[in-house]
Amino acid sequence: MTSTHEAPPPDSALSPAPSVPSVPPEEAVTPLMRGIAVLRGLTDAGGAATLSDLSRATGLARSTVDRVAATLARMGYVHLDGSNAALAPRLMELGNAYLAALRLPDLLSRHADALADALDESVSLAVADGDGIRFIHQAIRRRALSLSFRIGDLLPAERTAPGPLLATEWSAQDWARWRERRLADPEDLGFPAIPRRAHDAATADFPRRVEEARLRGWALDDQLIEPGLVALSVAVRTPDGRIACVASAVSHTSRHGADSLCDSLLPGLRTAVTAMERELASAPPPERPSGPSGPNGGSGRSGVNRASGPDALKGLMGPTGLAAWTSASKQELGGEFITSLARGLTAITAFGEGHAELTLSEVAERTGLPRATARRALITLQHLGHVTVERRAFRLAPRVLSLGFPPLSKATLVHIARPHLTALTGRVKNSTSLAVLTDDHVQCALSVTAGRIMDVDIAAGSRVPAYATSAGRVLVASLPAERRAAWLAQVRLEALTPRTVTRPTDLEAILERVRGDGYALVDDELEEGLRSVAVPVRDREGVVVAAVNVHMHSGRGSAAECVMDIVPELRATADSLEADLHVTGRFVHVPVF
């Protein structure tokens, strides 16, 4: 890895935690530090910012921010639109690596979700991150007054319910760091997920609350974060008695006061925590996958994908794969591509399920990085608090979630699909849309017009009969056989144009053909002169959740030409969209809207 002579960003741009040393180690990789500073800046800005704003927030020169952003865009971690930057869903693979290695969300999330249903209150799981707490799972109840906390958000321990429980395991050094942070940041400006602290009562009272939590086994937050918010927490312990995480039930004073919160919710919370602890005790050790990893933290495919974009990076493995990708990227982008930044972030993806602890040699082997390069990347990540090391074994730390996870964890399918549809519209020069099935209609979730003189403009939110549209046929064809038969039995087929299919047996045959072909084309059935072609979009479990469409006037070429020219573009778009959807949906639910 190489470094330039420009000074690294100030510590305030890297982390709010004073536990990060002020002077980087001699072997730290400055470009990696700058890249993480930019990602943190984008995260704190809610996921999007101008490059000039990032320059001001990080203290980096604008030219440096431009190069960092270009490299992150090359990796698929950032979307660039002129001088505007936005976090891209693929960045969540870094946080996914931490959560998969931790295993707690996979083991305990269903218990948290069931508790939220039983209590009709929001439930979260949190772990310690220095002298703060960081959320690793959220089961939110949707109300007008509802939580806005996200997976990955960092909160100060003293203003939360989990904090006193986690602080029962603090050392004298931990308490000293906490006091230092309180003096350095009296308004909690280093915690952008919460309002500024208006008074010091939480700090003064915190040691007493910790002792009470130690004795009672539970802790309470009575409006310490903001007025109206109350929370109750119980620690989830491993078989050896250590705190694995803390489960919390959160409500509002319009529903519960502090006393009624304990009376109403504590029994159910304790029962759920007992079930979680049984789950931890009975969980088999994770299987350790064999072979090198790709950047998603899973097993890579043999061979080298020599394409140069972010899709190529996704499937790399072994020492030649990453080298080929970085070489191609450097050749294409020149000085705008920062090789050491790309390689440094790749080190994070070595970890994951079955790979919670890795030696230096294992990180190098799984990523294809040279051993010396992997070593400097890990030293840098350890300095920034993203990696811990004990007896030559490295582990990811909760701070990895600060790299874009909070804003991206709230992404909807529409948000994820927008750049893909915009790119598709630009390539095919026709309007595109994303549609979902609602009973016997399809609803347009997102539309991108081509801007032609005679254009197809389908407004987002509009509904049309599913049987007469390509999106509807793709979505109905994907239903299980029993549901598809029930849908055909109840739908009313009306002639919208002379060419509309109105015989159930004909429509059933068409749906079978669509299932086999993987696409649907409809000509002049919804409206005369309107042609549309669609392909399905699948989630992580392979379930079709939406359809991507291209709309055009039927006079623009033949149907056969449409299939030849448009269907491959649609399939490529669906593949890219699914890749983002699969990364985003690993640990969070992705709603349509």
Side-chain angles (χ1 to χ4, degrees), residues 74-86:
R74 186 68 166 186
M75 300 184 75
Y77 288 170
V78 164
H79 291 307
L80 286 180
D81 181 12
S83 61
N84 298 307

Side-chain angles (χ1 to χ4, degrees), residues 414 418 421 425 431-434 444-449 456-460 551:
V414 168
R418 189 178 301 279
L421 262 65
T425 299
S431 296
T432 61
S433 66
L434 181 81
C444 177
L446 173 66
S447 179
V448 179
T449 59
V456 179
D457 187 4
I458 300 177
H551 314 278

